[in-house]
Amino acid sequence: MMVSDILDLPEFKEVKILAGNQNVTNRIKWVNILEILDELSRLHEGEFLITTAYGFDFHNINNTYDLVNYLSNKRIAALALQVGFYVDKIPDKFIKVCNEKGLPLLCLPPSVSFSEITRTLSKRLFEEEERQRTRARMADELVEQILSDSPPGQELIRQKYHELSFDWSTPFVVSMLHVENDKINSQRLRGNLEFYLNQQNLKYILSITHGELLIFISLGCCGDKLSQVFSLITDNLKRYIENTRFYFGIGEVVNSISEAKLSLMQAQKVVDFFKRGFSPDKNFMTYHDLGIFKLLIEIPEKVLTSFYDEILGELCAYDNRHSAELLKTLDIYLENGNITHTAENLFTHRHTIRYRLAKIKELTGLDVENGKDRMTLYMANLIKKLLP
């Protein structure tokens, strides 16, 4: 339920929205009534806060800014103030600050009963929750069928699962979310994602299939803004699962249900890439972003190991015997191709780097200054990072 929806309810016919019109699409998760504006730390994202603001000093501009900033940072859906008891009129300055922060502000007249609107909203929210459960069951069933060996036709899916409101006529991607914490409740995580995806008015299907959280996202609504969408999603999740590593693998764009399985397999490969410790500073990557690793991850591990041992095996053995840093030196040098920069990275002298590069040539028979040899060393070095 959005903030704009409650304005259409009979119980809210006398309610006026004074600020934050740009965010009336905010989704409401629950209703919270506080006569006195204390215990605000217990507020949660998406709550609709109703209050008489007893004891609040609206004439203190600092109090006003602090309150609206706090509620905005808590990402509540909306604030409703009842006038006529402790506040005769909501000050213009308070309305202005709410507008600046994009916080929907509703004015409740004295005739509005807290118990009546709470009962109405609770009933509506419960009904919406039931619809969400039904939608989740349908989504799980649909994704199971799509990913089966004999997926149903696109027209059949349109007819049977039209309630999911997914636009199959536009390109879409399949993404997979992996959270490195088994204690995170997947159903609650699903609910959080659904809430946020609805907030962004995205066309999606979210499913938990074989223990993995999958999201089909239609590009009809976001087009070339896919990166921006996932950036916003990850920012939201960081608030929900703090101090926990998570990442999205995103498959390539596909145009039909028959291709969905391919996009999912690509998303899985990106997740596997993350699991091996690559790109620890990122929370999402597309299959396209893998670059040359797209080729390497398709090669059997036995073949990769054999190639690595052939090219860098002796180098690795030398490092182990002498506690040397030839592999590390090679890795950094291949990244920047500059002796000075490599020396600075390793906090050592340029002459030491030259000696190490000469030793690498002696042990491998390959010269980093030769284009073909450099490519061979580069590939073997990438394989080293890819192998478990």
Side-chain angles (χ1 to χ4, degrees):
M1 175 187 290
M2 295 187 292
V3 174
S4 58
D5 294 330
I6 66 175
L7 297 173
D8 295 329
L9 299 175
E11 293 82 359
F12 282 78
K13 62 183 178 182
E14 296 180 48
V15 174
K16 295 180 181 178
I17 181 161
L18 304 181
N21 283 280
Q22 67 269 41
N23 286 321
V24 292
T25 55
N26 282 356
R27 297 252 169 193
I28 299 173
K29 282 186 177 180
W30 196 242
V31 183
N32 197 330
I33 295 178
L34 293 175
E35 185 170 352
I36 303 173
L37 289 172
D38 57 359
E39 299 298 330
L40 294 179
S41 61
R42 298 184 181 181
L43 289 172
H44 294 91
E45 179 180 348
E47 287 189 337
F48 178 44
L49 175 60
I50 303 174
T51 182
T52 58
Y54 174 74
F56 184 77
D57 184 6
F58 282 98
H59 299 292
N60 186 321
I61 190 65
N62 290 329
N63 283 358
T64 294
Y65 275 112
D66 289 345
L67 175 63
V68 176
N69 272 327
Y70 188 84
L71 297 179
S72 180
N73 290 334
K74 277 285 186 177
R75 303 182 78 190
I76 67 169
L79 169 65
L81 290 176
Q82 188 171 43
V83 297
F85 293 98
Y86 306 112
V87 179
D88 293 326
K89 180 179 179 293
I90 300 175
D92 291 338
K93 288 182 179 178
F94 191 84
I95 296 172
K96 180 182 178 182
V97 176
C98 287
N99 262 324
E100 289 173 355
K101 286 293 180 180
L103 177 66
L105 173 65
L106 282 66
C107 178
L108 308 183
S111 58
V112 171
S113 163
F114 275 17
S115 60
E116 187 176 341
I117 61 176
T118 302
R119 185 167 54 250
T120 298
L121 289 177
S122 297
K123 181 174 181 291
R124 291 295 184 106
L125 289 169
F126 176 77
E127 290 171 349
E128 184 167 298
E129 189 174 338
E130 283 299 302
R131 286 194 295 272
Q132 286 292 88
R133 287 198 185 100
T134 301
R135 176 187 168 93
R137 287 194 295 269
M138 291 180 68
D140 290 346
E141 177 186 305
L142 170 59
V143 172
E144 284 276 5
Q145 292 186 42
I146 289 175
L147 301 180
S148 68
D149 293 332
S150 302
Q154 202 146 306
E155 189 56 40
L156 178 62
I157 285 180
R158 278 201 189 96
Q159 294 173 8
K160 188 176 180 180
Y161 298 99
H162 65 277
E163 290 181 37
L164 294 176
S165 303
F166 191 79
D167 187 1
W168 295 105
S169 65
T170 61
F172 62 92
V173 296
V174 182
S175 65
M176 176 183 290
L177 170 64
H178 181 76
V179 180
E180 293 184 350
N181 186 343
D182 295 336
K183 294 181 180 180
I184 299 294
N185 185 296
S186 58
Q187 291 296 342
R188 288 184 180 177
L189 182 59
R190 177 183 195 155
N192 179 278
L193 279 169
E194 285 179 337
F195 176 80
Y196 187 74
L197 291 167
N198 287 333
Q199 193 92 316
Q200 299 300 310
N201 295 316
L202 296 172
K203 296 290 185 181
Y204 70 93
I205 293 175
L206 201 157
S207 168
I208 298 177
T209 304
H210 302 307
E212 300 288 357
L213 206 153
L214 312 179
I215 312 176
F216 290 56
I217 296 183
S218 169
L219 301 187
C221 52
C222 57
D224 58 355
K225 297 179 181 178
L226 187 64
S227 179
Q228 181 181 341
V229 167
F230 274 95
S231 180
L232 292 171
I233 291 174
T234 55
D235 286 346
N236 171 69
L237 276 185
K238 285 175 184 177
R239 285 186 286 268
Y240 177 68
I241 44 178
E242 296 179 345
N243 304 317
T244 299
R245 176 79 172 125
F246 69 88
Y247 33 80
F248 288 93
I250 309 166
E252 291 190 338
V253 177
V254 292
N255 296 288
S256 67
I257 289 171
S258 61
E259 298 175 299
K261 203 169 187 177
L262 172 62
S263 187
L264 171 61
M265 289 171 63
Q266 293 167 342
Q268 174 70 72
K269 286 171 182 174
V270 178
V271 167
D272 291 341
F273 183 77
F274 272 123
K275 284 181 179 179
R276 293 180 179 184
F278 290 99
S279 302
D281 58 325
K282 295 183 178 180
N283 290 103
F284 67 91
M285 281 180 66
T286 66
Y287 184 67
H288 176 76
D289 293 334
L290 292 183
I292 196 169
F293 281 106
K294 284 193 291 185
L295 296 175
L296 295 179
I297 59 179
E298 299 296 340
I299 300 173
E301 187 176 310
K302 184 178 179 180
V303 177
L304 294 175
T305 302
S306 176
F307 182 80
Y308 170 75
D309 288 342
E310 178 187 339
I311 304 301
L312 295 180
E314 183 59 34
L315 213 60
C316 181
Y318 182 90
D319 272 357
N320 291 334
R321 287 195 305 269
H322 301 279
S323 298
E325 290 189 328
L326 296 185
L327 282 172
K328 186 176 181 180
T329 301
L330 177 65
D331 181 40
I332 295 174
Y333 182 81
L334 289 173
E335 286 299 319
N336 60 59
N338 184 285
I339 288 177
T340 301
H341 291 166
T342 303
E344 290 171 352
N345 270 281
L346 292 172
F347 302 101
T348 189
H349 199 276
R350 293 192 304 274
H351 294 319
T352 303
I353 300 303
R354 289 193 181 94
Y355 168 80
R356 290 178 184 176
L357 293 177
K359 194 65 179 177
I360 289 170
K361 181 179 179 181
E362 176 189 327
L363 293 171
T364 64
L366 298 170
D367 183 359
V368 292
E369 299 300 325
N370 178 281
K372 184 178 177 181
D373 289 354
R374 184 187 177 93
M375 178 59 70
T376 301
L377 289 167
Y378 182 75
M379 292 297 292
N381 192 52
L382 287 182
I383 290 170
K384 173 174 68 74
K385 297 178 181 181
L386 197 60
L387 291 173

